[in-house]
Amino acid sequence: MKQFTTVKYGIVFLLLIPVLSLGAGKLKGKIEDAQSKDPLIGANVLLVGTSVGAVSDIYGNYLLPAVAPGKYTVRCSYLGYVLKTAPVTITDGATSEVNFALTADVLEGQEVVISAQAFGQAAAINQQLSSNTIVNVISEQKIKELPDANAAEAIGRLPGVSVVRSGGEASQIMLRGLGENMMTITVDGVKLSPTDANSRGVDLSAIAQSSLSGIEVSKAVTSDMDGEAIAGRVNFVTKIAPEQREIQLNLYGMYNGLDKNTSQYNLIGRYGDRFFDGVMGVQLFGNIEKRDRSSEEYDVSYYEYQKFQYYVSSFGVRYTPETRQREGGKVLLDFKTPDEGILKINGELNRTKRNSHTIFRNYPYSREVNYSFNGQDLTTDIRNVALQGENHLFDWNVNWNLSYTESKNDNPYNFTMNYGEDDGMNGIVPVDYQRSANFLGFISFARNNFQKTSFNTAQAETNSSLDFEKTAFADIKREYNAFNLNGEIKFGGKYRSKYHRRFGQKFQALYYLGNNDCSLVRAADGSIVNKDFAAYGFPANGFAGMAMDGGLILLPNFLSTKTYSVFDKYLLNGITDPNRARAWYEMSKNGVSASGTLEFEPDASSSGSNYNLIENVSSEYIMNTLRYDDLLTLITGVRFEQDANNYNALYSKSAVTAYAAFHDTTAEHTETIVLPNIQAIYKPTNFMNIRAAVYRGINRPDFNLRLPTFFYGKVGDSYNIVSANTKLKNADAWNYEANVQFYGNGVGLLSLSAFYKKINNLVTNLNGVRFTDTNAVKSYDFPVIPNLPLSNLFFWKPYNCPEPTKVWGFELEHQANLRFLPGYLSNIVLGYNITLSKTETFVTDVTYGTVSVFDPQLGFPVDSSYMTIGFRKSRIPSTPEWFGNLSLGYDIGGFSARMSYFYQKRYLNTASSDGYTNYYQKSFSRFDLSLKQELTSMLTVGLNVNNITNLSEGAIQANSVYVWEGETSGYRYGTAAELWLQVTL
């Protein structure tokens, strides 16, 4: 550790060498649109003939804190606007001010007024051009102009970004094919708490866009950003209060095409003002929302009828009505400090409530028909409190932050009912239907005898997770001039402490045994009493079916009168009434038999996954930005991150049974990593930027993977061995980025990026691998449990991949305002992007076989089984190879329209070692439409239509050896529309 500290501070000393002389004067100002007075973000300010420059911030302000005394010409440029210059004299110890009001560029002698969408596009383009790193931006103007359903939907229109949908809306993103655990999600640089029980993902649909001044997606991070960003970083930037009072109300009425549901709404309110001569700003945000996020699905199973000939064995249909309610509030206070800095206080609470139930039934070709019901309530709370300052002390700029973030998931109701129909007369589907995969034909051959359909099992689960994190950081920087060079030295540190907990319980009732009369319950005082059926809406004397068929409970007692057609053609009947199912759960969760047997017995497989942990991460960094004229910018830096984690989990050395006892066990993990970073920007012409970056990043495993937990249980004749891995290392990657930007008032911004990532120690998993060799068990650090038959052991465990994982690809993006076209065509705003991504990783490859071995005792050869363990190349699962977006907008007067198109090529979900059973996600495309009409300066109406063509998604099973494919699932969320009204006072 002492040697590491010496190296660390040696690097710091070397990076401080450029600070040789400091400027003695300051220059500040504000840049705005001459017509609208809106601030221009990302405008470039340069002292002509020097390397001294700055970029306007989200408020349109710029500051040059260290300028040598003298007379200069200040040049201000902003793509899409006329370049302006102004003279200025800098004096020692004084602050000069030069403001710019820029006008739109002139074409063919006509002054052009920047239209609504074009203005938002121009803001995003200029921020990308002026950034010190490779970044994509969604500007505040673009967010406001034609709003998307949530922040994740908006980010999903950027290059390199694909979205993960839940209930038809984007909830998480993938960046260049890498998941949410490979990136950092922040608000004003503060990392958000994850919203999942085990993974590090954040539900972005809970973030209110109305409070944002922009979204930045950094493809190459710098040393002042968290190192946990192999894929990149998403940063949500909040705004300060407007100079003039602003009151805004947005009201949305929505329609869901799947359920024909219009009882949806979204109400968003915003208030902003400044007080005490503009010193204090106050912003209040609030929203309340209710949406229908229902979905429907079918799935198909196959069997191998003859060698490499697959027939349909079962066809299932599923319908999930879901209601999501969101409510949130936010308070933002900002104070202008005497040093021309800003102090911000941010408090935010968002809550999402999800109520859903899933109804399923299958249509098998010749066996028992199965029905199931699952009902769930899930509440997610996200809380953030932050105190942030941007201050100027002497010639130093200090950005500091103290914050607390928290997320909590509560799943108090998760109830599943499973039924089986077996009257000896199940439909047998003719082979012709099986061969043709005519799923509709399966339904016509089905028999439904609900009087012979009874409870098999029921499961009840409760789950909760809690994550909170305390963070403190400070960034300190100073401008300098040395040998006609201009630069900035920046250093700082961060400390964050995280607590994460998962707690769950599971219970199951085995009704198929028929040995529970289901009429008794244990009361709160411990006594056993009769169930009060009438109090829960059931017949006072219970069900007639309870006395039939050995005490079996029949489906008709819970049936709804409804039927449903999945995809408008696949019949779903035998639908359980969700209210009667919930009533049964509430009445029976404490049920007992006359002999004292619990109706719902505990299942230790869930409680064995409970844990809590503390993660402490401290980091320091130093970086230097060196600029030569307006030609070359070189950024060098290094970051040091140290982990000190404590884990508390459950462990069992005995076979897991319903009442198995676990005992606590603990573990620690410490790790230190050095993250060097170098980036360069070269501007050979006034229309071209060349960017390059090389940096090292890390990825921390999901929370449940590094636990000291271990347990095994028996399922049928098989044993499942489940273990986490206390020896897991953080994955780390060398990232190589190259980007070329062509820009101009005609072409807009044309950008081409190439990337290559080499990831070491990527966490992968053994998923149900069957070991038949004791040495193989030992090689993965599983304890060998005596008296267990190896032929029936299946293992689950995460491990670090011994071979490097590689990710590489290209991104093409073009944004343009086509105002150079004649007439009405000049109002077109165009944007498109294409991403190509390739991945290569290694997964465990287990081969089983037999070999003939001579047995000297028997005197002849006998067959002996063997297994070999190796690794084979594979794509990273669930990473699309290529996808793209196209956006075509049009503005005229107060009217705006945008048609958007997204396409994603099919990609591999899972692959078999022999290629016979691969699963792919089908290609997917989607059209969205947004319309807006400004009626008056105070009143605007709009219409958003998502998934206009009602396209579905799905998956397929493929045999790559014999070129066979079969559809395994199809699902859709329907077309959704929202009509909105905005009132601005």
Side-chain angles (χ1 to χ4, degrees):
M1 182 58 71
K2 183 177 180 181
Q3 182 180 8
F4 169 75
T5 302
T6 302
V7 172
K8 178 169 68 174
Y9 288 108
I11 295 173
V12 170
F13 175 77
L14 291 174
L15 287 172
L16 282 170
I17 288 178
V19 186
L20 299 176
S21 65
L22 300 171
K26 295 181 180 180
L27 175 64
K28 70 173 184 177
K30 184 170 186 176
I31 305 169
E32 63 184 16
D33 182 284
Q35 185 179 49
S36 67
K37 306 302 179 184
D38 289 328
L40 297 180
I41 307 169
N44 190 281
V45 178
L46 182 71
L47 298 183
V48 178
T50 75
S51 302
V52 181
V55 174
S56 60
D57 61 19
I58 60 175
Y59 319 118
N61 299 322
Y62 73 91
L63 175 67
L64 303 176
V67 184
K71 294 184 177 180
Y72 299 91
T73 298
V74 189
R75 185 184 72 194
C76 179
S77 59
Y78 193 81
L79 189 68
Y81 286 73
V82 178
L83 180 148
K84 279 193 174 183
T85 60
V88 66
T89 299
I90 304 297
T91 57
D92 189 8
T95 300
S96 302
E97 183 172 351
V98 177
N99 300 316
F100 290 96
L102 302 185
T103 57
D105 197 14
V106 175
L107 294 172
E108 299 179 356
Q110 298 278 334
E111 182 176 307
V112 177
V113 177
I114 298 291
S115 64
Q117 290 183 77
F119 185 73
Q121 184 189 73
I125 289 175
N126 281 279
Q127 289 176 68
Q128 289 178 213
L129 290 174
S130 61
S131 172
N132 273 348
T133 188
I134 301 170
V135 65
N136 295 111
V137 173
I138 304 172
S139 65
E140 178 184 1
Q141 294 84 356
K142 203 166 185 178
I143 291 172
K144 293 191 304 185
E145 177 57 24
L146 290 168
D148 289 294
N150 58 52
E153 292 279 2
I155 299 171
R157 303 191 189 281
L158 294 176
V161 180
S162 56
V163 299
V164 178
R165 300 187 185 277
S166 172
E169 69 175 354
S171 58
Q172 294 178 337
I173 64 171
M174 297 182 67
L175 193 53
R176 292 172 165 175
L178 298 175
E180 70 278 359
N181 64 334
M182 288 282 188
M183 69 189 81
T184 300
I185 309 294
T186 63
V187 175
D188 292 332
V190 177
K191 193 172 182 180
L192 289 176
S193 288
T195 55
D196 188 80
N198 293 319
S199 79
R200 297 181 182 270
V202 178
D203 185 353
L204 299 179
S205 66
I207 296 177
Q209 298 186 84
S210 58
S211 64
L212 301 177
S213 64
I215 306 173
E216 305 163 340
V217 179
S218 299
K219 304 295 181 58
V221 301
T222 48
S223 295
D224 55 346
M225 303 177 188
D226 285 322
E228 199 171 4
I230 292 177
R233 182 184 83 153
V234 178
N235 185 42
F236 297 94
V237 184
T238 60
K239 61 179 76 176
I240 65 170
E243 295 297 331
Q244 302 294 326
R245 178 182 299 170
E246 183 176 312
I247 301 174
Q248 193 173 90
L249 184 67
N250 290 65
L251 178 62
Y252 292 74
M254 290 166 281
Y255 170 79
N256 178 280
L258 200 65
D259 286 345
K260 310 296 188 292
N261 185 356
T262 57
S263 60
Q264 305 174 75
Y265 55 83
N266 187 13
L267 180 63
I268 303 172
R270 176 192 172 197
Y271 167 82
D273 203 355
R274 304 204 71 85
F275 301 91
F276 308 114
D277 295 326
V279 172
M280 183 181 79
V282 177
Q283 293 182 89
L284 304 175
F285 302 88
N287 74 286
I288 181 169
E289 176 184 3
K290 179 182 177 183
R291 286 184 184 265
D292 185 321
R293 289 301 184 190
S294 301
S295 63
E296 57 184 16
E297 180 180 356
Y298 62 82
D299 54 59
V300 190
S301 300
Y302 298 90
Y303 72 100
E304 192 175 357
Y305 182 72
Q306 294 178 358
K307 190 173 183 179
F308 312 121
Q309 295 186 31
Y310 295 85
Y311 291 170
V312 177
S313 61
S314 181
F315 174 66
V317 286
R318 181 179 288 105
Y319 171 54
T320 305
E322 178 178 339
T323 300
R324 295 189 189 179
Q325 295 177 278
R326 294 189 179 96
E327 51 195 39
K330 186 171 187 175
V331 178
L332 265 173
L333 304 178
D334 66 81
F335 302 87
K336 295 181 179 179
T337 57
D339 61 343
E340 297 182 354
I342 196 81
L343 177 68
K344 292 198 294 186
I345 302 173
N346 177 11
E348 183 174 7
L349 170 64
N350 292 288
R351 169 170 290 177
T352 301
K353 296 179 180 179
R354 300 176 59 174
N355 175 265
S356 67
H357 59 273
T358 298
I359 300 117
F360 169 83
R361 70 154 295 165
N362 72 335
Y363 289 93
Y365 81 99
S366 63
R367 63 176 186 267
E368 181 181 278
V369 180
N370 294 311
Y371 305 82
S372 70
F373 165 87
N374 172 261
Q376 289 201 55
D377 292 339
L378 176 63
T379 301
T380 301
D381 289 328
I382 302 176
R383 300 180 179 90
N384 303 312
V385 180
L387 176 64
Q388 180 180 10
E390 300 174 25
N391 301 110
H392 310 291
L393 305 177
F394 304 104
D395 291 325
W396 296 90
N397 297 331
V398 181
N399 183 358
W400 56 274
N401 191 295
L402 300 172
S403 65
Y404 174 87
T405 66
E406 177 184 302
S407 68
K408 182 179 180 181
N409 275 317
D410 190 18
N411 185 201
Y413 174 69
N414 184 353
F415 183 54
T416 301
M417 305 171 74
N418 300 301
Y419 308 93
E421 176 186 339
D422 190 7
D423 64 353
M425 298 179 63
N426 292 322
I428 298 178
V429 180
V431 171
D432 289 344
Y433 278 106
Q434 300 169 48
R435 290 177 176 174
S436 67
N438 185 343
F439 308 140
L440 195 60
F442 270 57
I443 296 172
S444 63
F445 287 94
R447 297 179 174 87
N448 300 289
N449 187 346
F450 297 145
Q451 293 299 325
K452 290 292 184 178
T453 303
S454 59
F455 252 149
N456 279 338
T457 61
Q459 294 86 38
E461 293 187 57
T462 60
N463 293 288
S464 67
S465 64
L466 173 66
D467 185 287
F468 62 79
E469 184 168 298
K470 295 172 285 187
T471 303
F473 73 76
D475 299 322
I476 303 171
K477 64 180 179 179
R478 187 170 184 174
E479 298 279 345
Y480 66 84
N481 296 303
F483 307 120
N484 296 320
L485 299 174
N486 167 257
E488 172 189 282
I489 190 74
K490 186 176 183 181
F491 58 92
K494 174 183 284 190
Y495 177 80
R496 57 186 179 90
S497 180
K498 174 190 290 292
Y499 174 83
H500 188 90
R501 182 199 72 203
R502 186 266 181 192
F503 179 79
Q505 292 179 298
K506 184 176 181 179
F507 305 87
Q508 59 179 339
L510 306 179
Y511 291 111
Y512 67 89
L513 297 176
N515 58 3
N516 191 332
D517 61 14
C518 304
S519 62
L520 303 175
V521 66
R522 189 178 298 278
D525 61 1
S527 62
I528 297 177
V529 298
N530 290 322
K531 290 180 179 178
D532 189 350
F533 284 88
Y536 291 91
F538 298 117
N541 296 325
F543 301 144
M546 289 171 59
M548 297 171 57
D549 301 320
L552 299 181
I553 303 173
L554 301 182
L555 175 59
N557 296 302
F558 298 93
L559 274 181
S560 167
T561 59
K562 297 179 180 179
T563 60
Y564 188 85
S565 293
V566 174
F567 280 68
D568 300 320
K569 56 183 178 181
Y570 304 128
L571 178 65
L572 174 59
N573 61 351
I575 294 179
T576 299
D577 186 319
N579 296 321
R580 295 179 72 81
R582 186 184 288 263
W584 178 264
Y585 167 73
E586 295 294 341
M587 181 180 67
S588 302
K589 59 185 178 183
N590 295 317
V592 294
S593 68
S595 62
T597 302
L598 297 177
E599 186 169 341
F600 283 87
E601 294 184 342
D603 182 344
S605 64
S606 178
S607 58
S609 300
N610 294 335
Y611 64 91
N612 62 74
L613 60 86
I614 296 175
E615 285 187 352
N616 296 312
V617 179
S618 57
S619 58
E620 311 88 36
Y621 76 91
I622 184 167
M623 58 184 285
N624 179 58
T625 302
L626 186 65
R627 292 181 286 270
Y628 174 69
D629 198 13
D630 197 25
L631 181 66
L632 179 66
T633 300
L634 181 65
I635 305 171
T636 55
V638 62
R639 186 178 184 92
F640 310 91
E641 293 206 357
Q642 302 91 31
D643 290 10
N645 305 336
N646 294 283
Y647 303 89
N648 185 27
L650 296 174
Y651 192 100
S652 176
K653 291 184 177 180
S654 61
V656 174
T657 64
Y659 300 99
F662 292 89
H663 64 267
D664 289 339
T665 181
T666 60
E668 295 181 352
H669 177 84
T670 59
E671 191 169 347
T672 299
I673 192 167
V674 181
L675 306 172
N677 194 307
I678 182 169
Q679 303 193 32
I681 307 171
Y682 177 55
K683 301 181 179 181
T685 71
N686 62 356
F687 61 82
M688 180 181 179
N689 293 342
I690 301 175
R691 301 172 182 264
V694 179
Y695 71 95
R696 193 182 186 197
I698 65 171
N699 164 244
R700 295 180 171 90
D702 282 340
F703 300 115
N704 62 325
L705 299 183
R706 199 186 270 153
L707 303 174
T709 188
F710 174 85
F711 62 95
Y712 67 96
K714 187 176 182 182
V715 179
D717 295 327
S718 300
Y719 287 88
N720 294 325
I721 311 294
V722 182
S723 175
N725 188 351
T726 59
K727 297 180 181 180
L728 279 182
K729 300 177 182 178
N730 293 335
D732 67 275
W734 280 100
N735 302 269
Y736 304 88
E737 304 276 345
N739 173 259
V740 180
Q741 298 170 319
F742 300 93
Y743 53 92
N745 291 339
V747 70
L749 174 63
L750 179 63
S751 176
L752 177 63
S753 297
F755 57 92
Y756 175 81
K757 302 175 185 293
K758 185 178 180 181
I759 308 172
N760 298 307
N761 294 316
L762 184 71
V763 176
T764 187
N765 292 281
L766 292 175
N767 287 321
V769 173
R770 180 171 60 88
F771 286 164
T772 60
D773 187 334
T774 303
N775 292 325
V777 176
K778 291 180 179 179
S779 69
Y780 280 88
D781 291 326
F782 286 106
V784 177
I785 302 168
N787 303 320
L788 286 180
L790 281 174
S791 60
N792 290 320
L793 279 178
F794 295 87
F795 295 84
W796 278 262
K797 185 172 185 175
Y799 63 95
N800 291 113
C801 184
E803 300 289 339
T805 294
K806 300 173 184 177
V807 180
W808 68 97
F810 300 92
E811 293 172 358
L812 173 67
E813 180 191 25
H814 187 203
Q815 301 180 65
N817 177 355
L818 306 185
R819 62 179 185 272
F820 57 84
L821 295 177
Y824 290 115
L825 295 178
S826 63
N827 297 326
I828 296 175
V829 178
L830 174 68
Y832 59 88
N833 58 72
I834 300 173
T835 301
L836 172 66
S837 176
K838 296 287 187 179
T839 66
E840 177 185 286
T841 190
F842 290 81
V843 297
T844 301
D845 188 11
V846 181
T847 302
Y848 305 95
T850 58
V851 62
S852 182
V853 179
F854 181 80
D855 189 323
Q857 294 183 348
L858 296 176
F860 54 84
V862 295
D863 287 341
S864 176
S865 63
Y866 71 91
M867 68 174 297
T868 59
I869 300 178
F871 294 92
R872 60 178 174 81
K873 289 183 180 180
S874 173
R875 281 188 60 85
I876 298 177
S878 303
T879 55
E881 290 189 358
W882 72 270
F883 50 91
N885 289 277
L886 172 64
S887 176
L888 193 63
Y890 191 84
D891 293 318
I892 185 168
F895 175 76
S896 294
R898 182 187 68 195
M899 176 68 78
S900 303
Y901 174 72
F902 172 78
Y903 176 80
Q904 181 174 277
K905 185 184 177 182
R906 90 173 192 177
Y907 58 84
L908 180 69
N909 274 330
T910 59
S912 61
S913 58
D914 54 14
Y916 291 149
T917 312
N918 300 324
Y919 292 93
Y920 292 86
Q921 190 72 18
K922 294 168 65 176
S923 61
F924 173 72
S925 60
R926 167 173 158 165
F927 288 91
D928 299 328
L929 174 67
S930 296
L931 304 173
K932 189 190 82 168
Q933 176 64 59
E934 184 177 310
L935 302 178
T936 69
S937 59
M938 298 171 56
L939 193 63
T940 303
V941 297
L943 173 68
N944 297 333
V945 185
N946 296 323
N947 194 15
I948 297 173
T949 54
N950 194 24
L951 292 174
S952 61
E953 304 176 51
I956 61 173
Q957 175 184 332
N959 183 322
S960 59
V961 178
Y962 289 89
V963 195
W964 171 88
E965 290 187 355
E967 189 174 15
T968 58
S969 69
Y971 49 94
R972 66 174 181 174
Y973 307 100
T975 299
E978 53 187 23
L979 181 66
W980 55 270
L981 174 69
Q982 182 183 90
V983 181
T984 305
L985 303 176

